[in-house]
Structures are given as C-alpha cells and as structure tokens.
Amino acid sequence: MKMLLPRTLVARVFSLYLFALLFFVGVGLAGFYRYQFAQNIEDEQVSAELMMNLAAQTVADSAVIGDYDTITKTLERSILRSHFRSASFIDSRGGVVKAVNPGQVDIQPPQWLLALVQDKLFDINHNITVGGKDYGVLRLSFAADDVASEFWRLALLAFGLAMTALIGGGLLIRIPLSHWLGNFDRVRAKEAEILSGKIDVNALLDRDAPAEIRHTFQILSRAAGRLSAQREEATVTLSAISDGVVTTDAFENVTYCNQAAEQMLGRPGQPILGQNLRTLLPANSWAQDAGAGLNGRRIEIQSADGKAAILDTTLSTLHSSSHQVIGHVLAFRDFTRQHALEQQLRAGLESRQRTLESLHEVLVSIDSSGTGATGTQSGGDLDAIMGRVLALVSEREQGRRALDRQKFALDQHAIVSITDLSGNITYANDKFCEISGFDRSELLGSNHRLVNSGRHSAQFWAALWHEISGGRVWRGEICNRSKQGDHYWVNATVVPLLDKNGLPEQYIARRCPVRS
C-alpha cells in the first residue's frame, strides 16, 4: 500500500484548486474584456454620431452668414472633455477652422491595445449643406490613446479585483483543507508501522473528519489488512521452497531473504536484512547494471560448509506505475552438481573434437598424393587416422631429403635467388654470394639493382618485368656487376611462382655464368 503523494496532500489539493480557480477567473476576465472592448468602441462611435448631429446645425447656420468665430467656439465646446483629439471645419474654398483637445493620458496603455483601438476608430466626416449649396465638411478625429487608456484602467481594476477574490478564496479554503487532508499526511508518515500491523490506520483519523475521508480511511484499513495477510502467506510459501529468494529496494538493500537463500549464501542465522546485495555476492557477479549483472547467470560463491557452490540466478526488476525502479527480486538455486557434470562432459567433448580437428588438418595439409585417402578415413577411427598420419610424415620426410640433395647439387654450379613482388631479395645461395662478392646479409632485403651493370636499357628491364608479372617464364642473358665493379654475364631463367588465384607471389631466378 504505497501512497505516492507530494510533500503534503494539502499542498497538492490546494494547488489543483488554485489552478482551477485561476483558469475560470482567466476565462471570465477574457470574456469580460472582449465584451467591454466591443461595447466601448460602439459607445464612442454612437457618441461621435450624436455630437456630429448636434454641432452640424450650429456650424451650418454660422457658415451661411460667414461667422467663423461662432464655428470655432462650437467646435471647441464639442470636443471639450470628450474622447476626440480634434474637430475641423473645411469650407468649400479650402479654409480650415480647427479646434484641438489638449487632453492628457493618465495611464499609458500597451502598444498592442493602442493599435487595436486605432484600427477600430476612424475619423467622422459630415457635409454642411444648406439650401442645396455645399458650404464645407465637418470632421471629428478620435483620441485613440485616451480611449485605450480608459479601457486599460478598467481592465487593471477588474484584474485587481479578480486577484483579490482569488487570493482571499484560496486563504479561506486552505484552512479546512489543511485540517481535513492532514489525516492523509499522517498516514504517509506512519506507512511502515501501518504495513507492519503496529498501528491501525483508523487511529490516525480526526474525530471531526468529513464522512468522505472516514470512508476513505475504512477502505485503506481493509486494503492494509489484505496486504498484510498476503505478505504473511507469501512469506510462508517462500520459506517452504528450496530455491533462494531475495528482495531489495531501489538501492539494492535487502528487504527480505528466505531460509534457503541464507543457506546458499553461506550465512545461516546471520543478519542479512538491510545489507546491500552487492556485498553478499562476489564482485565479479555484477556488471554496471544490476539486471545485466545477474539475470540468467551462474555465479560461484562460498557455501556454509566452506566449499565452492554454483548458483543459477534470475533477477527481475520491480517498477512503479510511473515506470521507476523500486526494487529487485533475485531467485537462485544450487546448480553445483549439474555444473560439475556439464563441465566434465563439455571437457571430454571439446578434447575429442580438438583431437579430430587437429588430425584432420594435418592429413589435409600433408597429403599431396592426390589419392583422396584422407576423405575415406572414419572420423572416429583414431588408430587409422594416426597410422595414415605417420605414413604421410614418412613420405614427406623422404621427399624433403631428396629436395635437399637436389638443392645442394644446384647450388654447386648455378646462381639462385628468390625475390618478392617488388624485386627485393629474400633468398640468395652461396654461389650468388661468391660471384657477386656481396655477403648474404648485404643481398637479403636489397633489390637486384645492387648488381645492375647498367649495360641494359630500360626497355630491356620493362620487357622482362612484363613477362614475369604476367605469370610467364623469361629466359635470356644478363650482364651483372660484382661488388668490386667487375662485369660478368649470366644465362638467366626467371620463373614466377603463382598463388591459388594464378597471380605471381614471388620469383625464382636461376643463372649460370657464360663469360666475363
């Protein structure tokens, strides 16, 4: 029965109340401002029409007789203490009589409101006509800043009254909320005692609590009783099983451990509750994350009798309704005996497999007879495979000895060298060292340009490389230079050695001296 509340239930309910009240007050103010703005604009326009009609008659009579002083006074009286900035009479000859209202704005309205008022109010014109004759135009211009200032003053007054009512209502409602909902804060503070059965939840209820809160406390009491019964039943069940079960909180501190877990962890009768689970298990059992460290793994631990034990572990993470980690459940069983049998079986199978694979690789690598004898051997007939291996090794040794004798005979009268694809010398026999005058250490790693006499053209060498790089054998005579600077001619044969793709991977040159 975990009660997920903010700092206090009172603060939460009070915040929701203020938010709802503020929302409705805001909607009401917005509607009021919208209506009042439209009404003010309409009133100003009606007032302008009425004033225009009253002043037009006097202006017309004065215009007929040319009494412009009377027209000026009429215009000044018309805009006095009004929301008009100016009043003008423009006669038919272009003369202008104008009165200006020097009104001053008390409260400066915001620019957006001033722009909105200016967009709604416009100048009012009235033609002065008497007896069919046009005498001029009477024009009234609004003081938009004055109109906006008056409306802004009204808006600020309404907003202030609304905020005062909102704050006053909040202060009045907070007192009973603090008294009634404080019952739930006490429940949260005593949650551990309630869950353990030490305190009855109804003992925390105020006597004057409303019926709704009393009913809620009754529900909490029944839920706590059911939870306590379920916990006792689960404890009895977990104590009876042979698998170890450990539960932790979000910080991996142990909150429950059954008897089987105490035995497997090698701590029978010792206090485990409250300890961190990582301290109870080997350090190498854990990765950075708890789930990655123990879920579906087998770990080795020291049992109560001092022997090593293998535990098969399964770890589950507990989440709250908001998907936050609130704890872990670790279940494990003794897998020592099964693990030992698996290890023995696996070691035997791996040893047999390695032996067969090694023997098969040896047969494939050294069987050059082309008879396919290795493919006829049974994979499990180790004696037959070993006999075939010994026979092939004996044949290969005889072939190696014959090859060594041939090489010795060849080295006695021919110059032999091996180069890589770049022409760098990787092998030079004694004959080559003798005729060239270079030590073997000087030849190895060097290019054949070391013994180049300069007697052959670039086209000659290009043709030679074209042949051998194309995988073809080249034969011809070459003039070389010894270390002492002497020139000597050789009859050369250069053979490219090809890889499995048919491309040269190194070159063997055999040369016989023909003349100095």
Side-chain angles (χ1 to χ4, degrees), residues 45-122:
Q45 291 175 345
V46 171
S47 176
E49 293 291 342
L50 180 60
M51 185 175 297
M52 178 66 76
N53 292 331
L54 293 176
Q57 184 63 43
T58 303
V59 171
D61 294 341
S62 300
V64 171
I65 62 177
D67 187 1
Y68 285 88
D69 291 337
T70 303
I71 294 176
T72 301
K73 293 178 181 180
T74 301
L75 296 179
E76 291 175 350
R77 286 195 302 270
S78 298
I79 63 175
L80 184 63
R81 290 189 295 275
S82 68
H83 291 158
F84 295 102
R85 177 62 62 203
S86 64
S88 305
F89 173 69
I90 306 172
D91 61 17
S92 57
R93 292 172 298 182
V96 178
V97 178
K98 185 175 183 180
V100 179
N101 185 4
Q104 187 174 3
V105 177
D106 297 333
I107 300 177
Q108 188 66 32
Q111 289 297 322
W112 61 267
L113 180 60
L114 180 59
L116 188 61
V117 172
Q118 290 175 343
D119 184 60
K120 296 295 183 180
L121 297 178
F122 46 85

Side-chain angles (χ1 to χ4, degrees), residues 410-411 413-420 423-432 448 451 461 464-465 468 472-476 478 480 490-497 506-513:
L410 181 63
D411 287 344
H413 71 279
I415 302 170
V416 180
S417 64
I418 300 176
T419 64
D420 58 18
N424 298 320
I425 300 172
T426 59
Y427 170 78
N429 68 347
D430 295 339
K431 195 71 173 178
F432 190 6
H448 268 96
V451 295
W461 296 113
L464 186 153
W465 275 104
I468 63 177
R472 295 177 292 275
V473 178
W474 182 90
R475 297 180 179 86
I478 299 176
N480 287 337
V490 293
N491 189 355
T493 301
V494 183
V495 180
L497 298 181
Q506 59 182 347
Y507 305 103
I508 296 180
R510 174 186 174 277
R511 289 158 294 188
C512 296

Side-chain angles (χ1 to χ4, degrees), residues 132 149 357 424 435 469:
S149 176
E357 291 177 354
N424 298 320
I435 293 180
S469 62

Side-chain angles (χ1 to χ4, degrees), residues 369-477:
S369 63
T371 61
T374 57
T376 64
Q377 301 296 337
S378 173
D381 192 354
L382 295 180
D383 293 337
I385 293 178
M386 186 60 67
R388 182 56 183 164
V389 168
L390 294 175
L392 291 175
V393 170
S394 178
E395 293 176 3
R396 183 59 58 87
E397 180 63 20
Q398 293 177 4
R400 187 187 63 80
R401 291 176 181 176
L403 183 61
D404 288 344
R405 289 192 292 268
Q406 293 175 10
K407 177 179 176 294
F408 175 77
L410 181 63
D411 287 344
Q412 300 308 308
H413 71 279
I415 302 170
V416 180
S417 64
I418 300 176
T419 64
D420 58 18
L421 293 178
S422 300
N424 298 320
I425 300 172
T426 59
Y427 170 78
N429 68 347
D430 295 339
K431 195 71 173 178
F432 190 6
C433 297
E434 177 186 346
I435 293 180
S436 66
F438 290 97
D439 293 334
R440 184 174 283 105
S441 60
E442 295 178 292
L443 293 173
L444 296 181
S446 300
N447 195 279
H448 268 96
R449 288 190 294 269
L450 186 66
V451 295
N452 189 355
S453 65
R455 298 283 295 272
H456 301 285
S457 63
Q459 292 78 8
F460 173 84
W461 296 113
L464 186 153
W465 275 104
H466 177 74
E467 286 296 313
I468 63 177
S469 62
R472 295 177 292 275
V473 178
W474 182 90
R475 297 180 179 86
E477 290 188 353

Side-chain angles (χ1 to χ4, degrees), residues 88-221:
S88 305
F89 173 69
I90 306 172
D91 61 17
S92 57
R93 292 172 298 182
V96 178
V97 178
K98 185 175 183 180
V100 179
N101 185 4
Q104 187 174 3
V105 177
D106 297 333
I107 300 177
Q108 188 66 32
Q111 289 297 322
W112 61 267
L113 180 60
L114 180 59
L116 188 61
V117 172
Q118 290 175 343
D119 184 60
K120 296 295 183 180
L121 297 178
F122 46 85
D123 294 346
I124 298 177
N125 298 312
H126 185 80
N127 292 329
I128 304 299
T129 305
V130 179
K133 183 178 179 181
D134 186 11
Y135 285 90
V137 176
L138 179 61
R139 176 175 298 167
L140 294 177
S141 298
F142 284 98
D145 53 350
D146 195 13
V147 176
S149 176
E150 183 174 343
F151 179 75
W152 185 243
R153 181 188 298 106
L154 178 62
L156 292 179
L157 178 61
F159 181 78
L161 292 175
M163 289 298 101
T164 301
L166 180 64
I167 295 173
L171 293 176
L172 290 176
I173 196 64
R174 183 174 179 83
I175 296 175
L177 280 177
S178 300
H179 182 68
W180 294 336
L181 299 183
N183 296 282
F184 294 102
D185 289 330
R186 289 192 293 273
V187 171
R188 185 180 62 173
K190 301 292 184 179
E191 180 179 358
E193 289 83 353
I194 294 173
L195 294 178
S196 63
K198 297 179 180 179
I199 298 178
D200 184 7
V201 67
N202 291 316
L204 304 175
L205 183 64
D206 289 334
R207 295 181 179 180
D208 59 344
E212 293 79 2
I213 295 181
R214 291 183 176 274
H215 180 66
T216 303
F217 267 62
Q218 293 175 1
I219 296 175
L220 292 176
S221 179

Side-chain angles (χ1 to χ4, degrees), residues 130-338:
V130 179
K133 183 178 179 181
D134 186 11
Y135 285 90
V137 176
L138 179 61
R139 176 175 298 167
L140 294 177
S141 298
F142 284 98
D145 53 350
D146 195 13
V147 176
S149 176
E150 183 174 343
F151 179 75
W152 185 243
R153 181 188 298 106
L154 178 62
L156 292 179
L157 178 61
F159 181 78
L161 292 175
M163 289 298 101
T164 301
L166 180 64
I167 295 173
L171 293 176
L172 290 176
I173 196 64
R174 183 174 179 83
I175 296 175
L177 280 177
S178 300
H179 182 68
W180 294 336
L181 299 183
N183 296 282
F184 294 102
D185 289 330
R186 289 192 293 273
V187 171
R188 185 180 62 173
K190 301 292 184 179
E191 180 179 358
E193 289 83 353
I194 294 173
L195 294 178
S196 63
K198 297 179 180 179
I199 298 178
D200 184 7
V201 67
N202 291 316
L204 304 175
L205 183 64
D206 289 334
R207 295 181 179 180
D208 59 344
E212 293 79 2
I213 295 181
R214 291 183 176 274
H215 180 66
T216 303
F217 267 62
Q218 293 175 1
I219 296 175
L220 292 176
S221 179
R222 290 194 295 268
R226 287 194 300 269
L227 182 60
S228 178
Q230 292 174 0
R231 176 169 292 184
E232 292 179 0
E233 181 181 352
T235 301
V236 173
T237 302
L238 293 176
S239 298
I241 64 175
S242 59
D243 288 350
V245 178
V246 175
T247 61
T248 72
D249 57 17
F251 303 101
E252 301 170 1
N253 297 319
V254 177
T255 57
Y256 173 79
C257 180
N258 66 350
Q259 294 179 358
E262 292 179 358
Q263 294 291 335
M264 295 182 191
L265 294 175
R267 301 195 177 197
Q270 300 181 18
I272 294 181
L273 298 183
Q275 297 191 36
N276 192 277
L277 185 59
R278 293 179 181 264
T279 63
L280 302 176
L281 298 175
N284 57 2
S285 302
W286 294 83
Q288 187 68 23
D289 177 66
L294 285 175
N295 194 20
R297 287 192 57 188
R298 294 175 184 174
I299 62 175
E300 182 176 348
I301 195 170
Q302 199 77 11
S303 62
D305 55 4
K307 298 181 181 179
I310 303 299
L311 302 182
D312 189 11
T313 64
T314 301
L315 186 136
S316 303
T317 303
L318 303 178
H319 296 88
S320 65
S321 58
S322 58
H323 305 289
Q324 294 182 345
V325 177
I326 59 175
H328 304 281
V329 177
L330 176 64
F332 47 87
R333 59 191 179 93
D334 194 341
F335 202 75
T336 306
R337 186 175 181 181
Q338 295 89 329

